[in-house]
Amino acid sequence: MSGFWMGRCLVYTYKTKIMKLTNLFGKVLLVCVLLSCKTGFAQTASSGQATALQNGPNGKAVMAYYTAFEKKDWNLIQPVLADGFTFSSPLDDHISVAAFKERCWPNCYKMKKFEITEYVINGDNAFVITNGWTTDGKLFRNSDYFKFKDGKITSYECFFGPGINYPNSGK
């Protein structure tokens, strides 16, 4: 093979590799853009930004839920609970609103304050992490999962572990 053809083959090979790398870089960049756009659909908050939840009906329902516990006012929580509402926790499995009011609502008298530290709302689902304080100043932390329909809470799953000062955990 002459030097001319070898040179052209090397240039062709070199150009092909650059095109493949450029194509790969373009695909990686596209994936990064798509992922960043996807996260734009979810709303997140850090400490002190809970008021951003007020932008939609599902966020307003979440805020009403925590506010009702802080103010110890069942009349604030009742309107945001959908017909067929269920509550779940490590101690309860999909209990009705009547059982929730009987078993869980009395805990509001042991709770002083909630602070939403993180949240993600994706359509009719929300995941919320809160720090809470009992009336005797103990900190507890919950991870809460809400499901909604028409701006009302259809189900609420509360995740807490043993020994974290939750008002009903016996600690």
Side-chain angles (χ1 to χ4, degrees), residues 8-117:
R8 286 191 62 95
C9 287
L10 287 174
V11 168
Y12 176 76
T13 303
Y14 181 69
K15 282 185 179 180
T16 303
K17 286 183 180 182
I18 289 177
M19 288 175 59
K20 286 182 180 178
L21 284 174
T22 303
N23 195 13
L24 176 64
F25 177 73
K27 288 178 181 176
V28 169
L29 184 61
L30 179 62
V31 167
C32 290
V33 168
L34 290 174
L35 287 175
S36 67
C37 289
K38 174 103 174 115
T39 60
F41 290 111
Q43 302 166 0
T44 60
S46 59
S47 180
Q49 296 179 340
T51 55
L53 276 170
Q54 297 292 340
N55 292 336
N58 295 341
K60 288 179 182 178
V62 168
M63 290 304 298
Y65 184 90
Y66 294 117
T67 300
F69 269 90
E70 286 179 351
K71 294 188 175 192
K72 295 131 183 67
D73 187 348
W74 180 256
N75 294 321
L76 294 176
I77 201 170
Q78 193 171 8
V80 298
L81 302 180
D83 290 338
F85 167 84
T86 60
F87 172 82
S88 296
S89 77
L91 304 174
D92 303 287
D93 185 24
H94 295 89
I95 61 175
S96 68
V97 70
F100 171 74
K101 185 176 182 182
E102 179 186 324
R103 287 190 214 170
C104 305
W105 182 251
N107 284 318
C108 74
Y109 298 103
K110 299 175 185 174
M111 295 179 189
K112 181 178 181 179
K113 175 181 158 181
F114 283 96
E115 175 187 72
I116 295 173
T117 60

Side-chain angles (χ1 to χ4, degrees), residues 129-171:
I129 297 175
T130 59
N131 285 331
W133 286 268
T134 63
T135 52
D136 59 355
K138 292 182 180 177
L139 172 68
F140 64 94
R141 188 165 192 167
N142 285 355
S143 297
D144 303 323
Y145 179 65
F146 294 87
K147 289 185 181 183
F148 306 93
K149 184 174 182 183
D150 300 325
K152 292 192 172 199
I153 302 168
T154 59
S155 70
Y156 169 67
E157 297 178 37
C158 179
F159 301 94
F160 57 88
I164 58 163
N165 300 318
Y166 191 76
N168 199 24
S169 71
K171 301 289 179 188

